[in-house]
Amino acid sequence: GAGVSQSPRYKVAKRGQDVALRCDPISGHVSLFWYQQALGQGPEFLTYFQNEAQLDKSGLPSDRFFAERPEGSVSTLKIQRTQQEDSAVYLCASSSKVGPPYEQYFGPGTRLTVT
Amino acid sequence: KQEVTQIPAALSVPEGENLVLNCSFTDSAIYNLQWFRQDPGKGLTSLLLIQSSQREQTSGRLNASLDKSSGRSTLYIAASQPGDSATYLCAPPGYSSASKIIFGSGTRLSIRP
């Protein structure tokens, strides 16, 4: 079956622009996670959804970052007024579990470059 | 706060060798520990998930062990192949915030033909 998909795969934005990154989880997966991965580092947690509810957004680095999952399936991560430090790969993962232990399945990521 | 350290940061070995990747974590109250593989420009692929009640898990040439009391996990790769070249990441969530999985920085593995 289809895995987690993300679009676009690559995004170049000028500093100050807004961007929207999309994640399509595995069908039926109730849990959805967003991560930010800087070059040479492991992924860092941004936010977690259980269905449409955003249960944990403690990893969002600033109020310029906003995530939503209005119908409990597709999720969008929006970054407003992008800065150079936002350049990273943004990974989305989904899980069929509603609580721990999660076994997460990752998408290929969106590489964001802010110039 | 969970902190995860992976040693070594990079490793290059000739094909056929057996090798061990190390992961240590500071918060031993974990639900499980997951090992991932990441190929350049790709997302993460789950390799093994060890439940907190288990001590090890095996899949093919891979064996992962978990010692919660000492805050350590190891990934053993037998008879390494060039296709094993990738970055290997370990990730143990904590009880306090189980949804917030903390990753190590990874071990970048290169297998020389």
Side-chain angles (χ1 to χ4, degrees):
Chain A
V4 179
S5 61
Q6 293 185 246
S7 60
R9 292 292 315 277
Y10 304 92
K11 177 69 178 178
V12 179
K14 291 185 177 179
R15 190 164 64 95
Q17 282 185 332
D18 297 349
V19 298
L21 313 180
R22 177 186 169 108
C23 172
D24 285 80
I26 293 172
S27 178
H29 277 196
V30 297
S31 296
L32 186 145
F33 308 79
W34 282 99
Y35 295 86
Q36 180 189 60
Q37 186 174 24
L39 189 64
Q41 301 295 316
E44 292 199 3
F45 171 86
L46 293 176
T47 187
Y48 162 65
F49 289 87
Q50 186 180 113
N51 295 304
E52 69 278 5
Q54 189 175 20
L55 299 187
D56 188 340
K57 55 181 180 179
S58 60
L60 296 176
S62 77
D63 58 7
R64 296 185 296 103
F65 286 71
F66 172 77
E68 60 182 6
R69 194 186 185 198
E71 298 180 356
S73 55
V74 172
S75 178
T76 303
L77 176 67
K78 297 179 179 178
I79 308 173
Q80 298 176 324
R81 304 180 303 281
T82 52
Q83 304 293 316
Q84 283 193 318
E85 61 263 29
D86 300 334
S87 295
V89 175
Y90 291 85
L91 296 165
C92 174
S94 69
S95 172
S96 61
K97 302 294 182 68
V98 297
Y102 301 98
E103 183 166 9
Q104 299 187 14
Y105 296 86
F106 281 78
T110 294
R111 180 178 296 278
L112 172 66
T113 303
V114 181
T115 60
Chain B
K1 177 186 172 185
Q2 180 74 279
E3 293 183 8
V4 183
T5 303
Q6 290 190 245
I7 295 173
L11 181 64
S12 179
V13 300
E15 181 178 3
E17 281 201 6
N18 302 324
L19 49 96
V20 175
L21 308 182
N22 297 292
C23 170
S24 61
F25 45 94
T26 55
D27 182 357
S28 62
I30 60 172
Y31 280 103
N32 57 43
L33 186 142
Q34 200 165 357
W35 280 92
F36 293 88
R37 160 186 181 138
Q38 186 171 33
D39 293 280
K42 302 286 181 63
L44 280 67
T45 301
S46 178
L47 297 173
L48 291 164
L49 183 148
I50 311 175
Q51 305 286 2
S52 61
S53 58
Q54 297 176 314
R55 292 193 63 85
E56 66 178 87
Q57 192 69 251
T58 298
S59 176
R61 295 182 293 107
L62 305 179
N63 175 275
S65 67
L66 175 64
D67 184 344
K68 281 178 53 179
S69 61
S70 66
R72 292 183 181 180
S73 177
T74 60
L75 179 67
Y76 176 83
I77 303 177
S80 58
Q81 302 172 359
D84 295 331
S85 297
T87 297
Y88 291 80
L89 298 153
C90 74
Y95 276 106
S96 60
S97 179
S99 64
K100 188 184 298 184
I101 294 179
I102 308 298
F103 286 84
S105 294
T107 293
R108 192 170 63 255
L109 177 63
S110 175
I111 307 299
R112 306 189 299 270

